[in-house]
Each structure stands twice: as structure tokens, then as C-alpha cells.
Amino acid sequence: MLRLGDLSSLERIRSTVVEHHKWRSRCINLIASENITSPAVREVLASDFGHRYAEGEPYARLYEGTRFFDRIEASALKLARSLFKAEYVNLKPLSGCMANLAVFYALTSPGDTVICLSVPDGGHISYMEFGGAGVRGLKVEYFPFDEKEMNIDLDRALKKARSVKPRILLLGGSIFLFPHPVKEFRELADELGVFLAYDAAHVLGLIVGGVFQDPLREGVDVVSSSTHKTFPGPQGGIILCSRRDLAESLDKAVFPGLTSNHHLHRVAGLAITLLEMKRYGKAYARSIVRNAKALAESLHELGFEVLCEHKGFTESHQILVDVSRLGGGRKVAGKLQKANIICNRNPLPWDRLEEARGNPSGIRLGTPEVTRLGMGPSEMRQIAEYIKQVAIEGKPTGKVAREVSRFASQYQQVKYCLEEGSAYKYFRFK
Ligand code: DSN
């Protein structure tokens, strides 16, 4: 528990940050929704842009002092339109959550219904009635889910959507092992005259790398996303759209609706990540998925209940492991943390709400960060071995933690990024 005064001096705050850095650099991070940025991105995140305002659009601002930032944002927009092959890009949302909210504000009125995945089936809290959708006054219905296939139960979902007549059919989510049936929902959206949206937060980097479905090409109206999971940029949000007729309402929902300033240092970092993904996106995305499959296979061989063996476990960056027989997700993730392996406990589709909140059945493991640090399938086998030692064999976590530290210390350099210094060699701090 934090005691008053614990962090009451500059040195204590600094040393706590340093401790965090030291610890996390000795850990294996398997949180599927996280990643690390390149040195070039980190440098601009600390730049003077982080002190400035730039409401409005490039070269048409409500503030003075933005002539250099105008160039940065204009470049970021151009790069994003080309990389995502999107007619419309809005990079102002500060998070994926805010991007989802903006889509709701732009396309719905209070009292409308959205249909999406429930939380245990992979839906994000921002489209729950107790979350962002509720803040917009929306009613929320859930797609029936096929637990065996770990995907939307298409026939039942189409039937349900026809009966509830939602304003938005929302695909995508936070558990995302396999592509969603976009084409079929496009037909339904046309039949019902409603919008088809897609939350790509988890899979944006895979889409850019061409190893996952491409929702805009498959017929989605609007994609909302964060920019820091498989897409390895600074924490933030983005909206992509193929329909010019929705641009004005999306723009208004984001600014002045949900955002004032859009955190300019983040936009500069995003511009650099777009360059990185333009050059390395294909190779990086391929390695992420290859590693996820390798990790799943190794865990399965070592005796873990990895979901969806019959489908090759996953086609994305994440895998799900049912650890209910090993004490549940809370216990297993807690023990792994003591061994310097960081992941999150996760509800599985069959969990009831109270289990989902307390000790859910699963853990979710993701490979974006370990891949960015240069690890490959042989390292995935080693990681699976460490997980087995902790979760199945009950080896003392301190002992495993020391081994994990030694292992992690060999992977300290961010890969798939522009040569350090090349993107900012003329950059000077004040
Ligand atoms: N809740 C996050 C995740 O871990 O998937 C996304 O915001």
C-alpha cells in the first residue's frame, strides 16, 4: 500500500522510475496489448512538442507557434493515408478507447443499439453499457460466440443482428485470435442500412504487415484503433475510414467533441513509427504471428491447455491458455510475475461475470514486444519452458526469476526500427 510521503522527493520519484526500468528490462513482457517504442520515437516523446497546443488542422490552427508541428502532422497524415490505404485518417484521438467513443458520437444517437462481442468473448470495455457506449447512451447487444472456434457464431449472430436492428455492427476486440467475418457483415450492414465498424486496436500492425484480414478492403465503413500494440507506436488512437461522407461527423466528434489538444509529441512519435512500419512492417508482422504460433505449440507440447489447437492456436499475436486446473488466471499470472514473466489474467468465454472479475480461467499471452526485441521461435520455446517451471512444476519463482533475468538481458535492443539517430540527427533539446 502506498504510504503518504513515500514519493515525496524528486530523488525518490526518479529512483522509483529507474527501479521500474531496471525491473522491466529484466522481465519477459507477454502483455498482448503492449509494445515498446524505438529510440527515435522515445526521443521525440520527450521533445518540446509535449508542451504545446495545436488545435485545428495543419496550416489552419487556432494557436500560433505551430509552423514546425504543421509539417510533422501533415507528414504523419500523408504517411498514414498511404500505409493504411485509407481515404480518411484522424490521428487526434488520444487512445483506442477515445477513437471508439468518437465513432459512437459520429454515427449514433442516444438510444441507438450497438452489437459487439461481450467482454469474456473479447469485447473491449469501451463498447459496453457500463463503459463508453453507455456514456453515449447506447444500448448494447452481444454477438453469439462460438467457444470452440473462438469466433463470432456467424449464423446466430446474423439472425440476432436482424432482430435487434443495431445502428452499428461492431467487429474486432481485445481477444482476437482469428479474423472476423467482415464480408458477411458487410452484406448485412447493406441489407439493414446500418454502419459496419471494426476495432483494430490489437491487430493494426498485423493488418499493415499484410498477415491479417484488411478490414477496409473487406468492406468496413470505419476502423478505430490504438497505435501501440502490434502497431508499435506511442500510446494513442486513430480512426481510418473509406467513406468521405463520414469525414465531417468523425472530425467533429474528435475535435472539438472529445479532444482539445492532441498531444503533439505523440503525433511526432507516430510519424516515426509510420516510417518504421513502412519499411519493416511486413517482416515484423510475420515474425509476431510466427512467434505466437511457436509459443502456443511449445506450451501445448509441455502440457498446457492452449485454446484452439484444431485451428493452429492463433492467426494473430495472441494466444489464450486455460489455466483453471492450475489455480486460475489470477494465481498463475501472479506467480509468473514473481518469476519476471509479465502477462494478464483473462476471462474465457465460458467464465461467469464474477469469475471474470476475480480469478478468471485464462491467461492471455502476446508476442509483439518479445518479437520487437529480436526473439524468434527458439526463444519462444525457452519462454514456454520457464512458464512450465512456474505454473506446472512449482519451481521456486525466485530461482526462475534469476534465470529469466539472464535470458532477458540478452534482448535489450529494439529491432525493426530506423537506425538510431537517423530520424532525428538535427534534433536539439532546448
Ligand atoms: N484493455 C486492453 C487490452 O489489454 O486488451 C486494451 O485497451
Side-chain angles (χ1 to χ4, degrees):
M1 197 173 74
L2 187 72
R3 277 164 304 172
L4 202 63
D6 263 354
L7 293 177
S8 59
S9 77
L10 172 62
E11 270 326 301
R12 281 192 187 147
I13 292 170
R14 276 188 177 146
S15 61
T16 305
V17 173
V18 170
E19 282 304 301
H20 169 81
H21 274 254
K22 278 191 193 154
W23 177 49
R24 292 304 294 259
S25 70
R26 293 193 303 258
C27 289
I28 296 166
N29 186 38
L30 297 172
I31 303 266
S33 50
E34 292 180 355
N35 210 329
I36 43 171
T37 48
S38 65
V41 170
R42 288 188 197 194
E43 183 154 8
V44 295
L45 287 176
S47 73
D48 181 64
F49 284 134
H51 307 136
R52 306 299 159 204
Y53 268 82
E55 286 175 1
E57 297 304 316
Y59 308 106
R61 302 288 185 191
L62 306 178
Y63 282 77
E64 303 307 321
T66 65
R67 64 189 163 127
F68 293 110
F69 182 67
D70 286 341
R71 289 191 212 160
I72 298 270
E73 186 169 358
S75 297
L77 282 166
K78 195 169 162 205
L79 278 164
R81 279 190 209 105
S82 140
L83 194 68
F84 299 121
K85 298 191 225 59
E87 292 257 319
Y88 168 92
V89 172
N90 193 317
L91 43 74
K92 290 184 167 69
L94 298 181
S95 66
C97 209
M98 296 302 282
N100 286 337
L101 261 180
V103 168
F104 293 151
Y105 273 85
L107 306 186
T108 67
S109 303
D112 284 346
T113 299
V114 57
I115 185 164
C116 57
L117 288 176
S118 71
V119 168
D121 293 340
H124 188 253
I125 49 170
S126 57
Y127 29 95
M128 298 300 123
E129 234 167 272
F130 61 79
V135 169
R136 177 56 172 156
L138 301 179
K139 292 183 235 148
V140 180
E141 295 281 347
Y142 301 128
F143 289 128
F145 195 73
D146 185 330
E147 294 171 2
K148 186 160 179 285
E149 298 300 306
M150 284 305 287
N151 210 328
I152 295 165
D153 182 330
L154 184 60
D155 290 341
R156 288 170 57 223
L158 294 175
K159 202 167 160 206
K160 180 162 181 188
R162 278 193 184 94
S163 81
V164 301
K165 296 188 180 56
R167 183 79 178 139
I168 299 182
L169 303 158
L170 175 55
L171 305 178
S174 296
I175 297 176
F176 211 164
L177 302 181
F178 303 104
H180 283 170
V182 172
K183 285 180 188 153
E184 292 82 350
F185 277 102
R186 175 71 265 160
E187 284 168 21
L188 182 70
D190 289 338
E191 177 193 318
L192 300 177
V194 302
F195 295 110
L196 181 60
Y198 186 105
D199 178 352
H202 269 266
V203 293
L204 189 67
L206 307 183
I207 294 169
V208 168
V211 300
F212 206 73
Q213 69 186 154
D214 184 339
L216 285 180
R217 250 46 57 201
E218 290 185 18
V220 158
D221 293 310
V222 57
V223 169
S224 49
S225 184
S226 55
T227 54
H228 51 265
K229 298 180 169 68
T230 53
F231 189 88
Q235 291 195 334
I238 197 164
I239 299 172
L240 313 170
C241 184
S242 52
R243 290 178 47 176
R244 291 301 315 170
D245 60 317
L246 301 181
E248 193 184 338
S249 47
L250 288 167
D251 274 347
K252 277 190 186 154
V254 175
F255 175 81
L258 293 161
T259 323
S260 157
N261 198 33
H262 51 296
H263 298 186
L264 317 189
H265 52 325
R266 175 188 69 81
V267 176
L270 182 60
I272 292 173
T273 315
L274 288 160
L275 286 176
E276 292 168 347
M277 287 300 275
K278 189 173 167 187
R279 188 175 307 174
Y280 299 111
K282 281 195 173 66
Y284 178 48
R286 269 199 298 267
S287 298
I288 290 177
V289 177
R290 195 182 54 185
N291 279 343
K293 284 175 180 289
L295 183 61
E297 271 157 27
S298 301
L299 287 167
H300 172 71
E301 279 163 18
L302 293 173
F304 284 94
E305 289 180 47
V306 188
L307 268 54
C308 281
E309 182 197 355
H310 68 293
K311 294 175 76 177
F313 303 108
T314 185
E315 284 176 33
S316 76
H317 61 302
Q318 55 173 256
I319 63 176
L320 285 174
V321 188
D322 184 345
V323 290
S324 50
R325 288 198 294 180
L326 299 168
R330 178 188 283 272
K331 184 171 170 203
V332 170
K335 273 165 64 175
L336 288 172
Q337 176 175 236
K338 286 191 183 139
N340 285 353
I341 298 169
I342 312 294
C343 71
N344 67 285
R345 59 183 184 270
N346 220 94
L348 299 180
W350 44 89
D351 282 340
R352 290 193 308 269
L353 202 57
E354 50 284 14
E355 286 161 344
R357 289 204 175 117
N359 187 19
S361 300
I363 53 171
R364 186 185 62 169
L365 308 176
T367 55
E369 187 163 322
V370 288
T371 306
R372 205 155 197 227
L373 288 169
M375 296 187 203
S378 63
E379 284 83 1
M380 297 306 112
R381 282 191 282 282
Q382 180 61 65
I383 292 172
E385 179 62 35
Y386 290 137
I387 295 174
K388 182 186 87 166
Q389 289 172 2
V390 173
I392 295 182
E393 293 173 356
K395 197 168 165 180
T397 49
K399 198 163 187 301
V400 183
R402 283 189 290 281
E403 288 173 35
V404 167
S405 286
R406 275 195 293 279
F407 171 84
S409 66
Q410 301 167 70
Y411 303 92
Q412 296 292 309
Q413 215 188 345
V414 181
K415 309 288 183 189
Y416 306 102
C417 58
L418 301 169
E419 187 192 340
E420 189 170 351
S422 64
Y424 57 98
K425 59 187 165 191
Y426 301 113
F427 187 81
R428 293 281 180 276
F429 287 105
K430 259 187 186 171

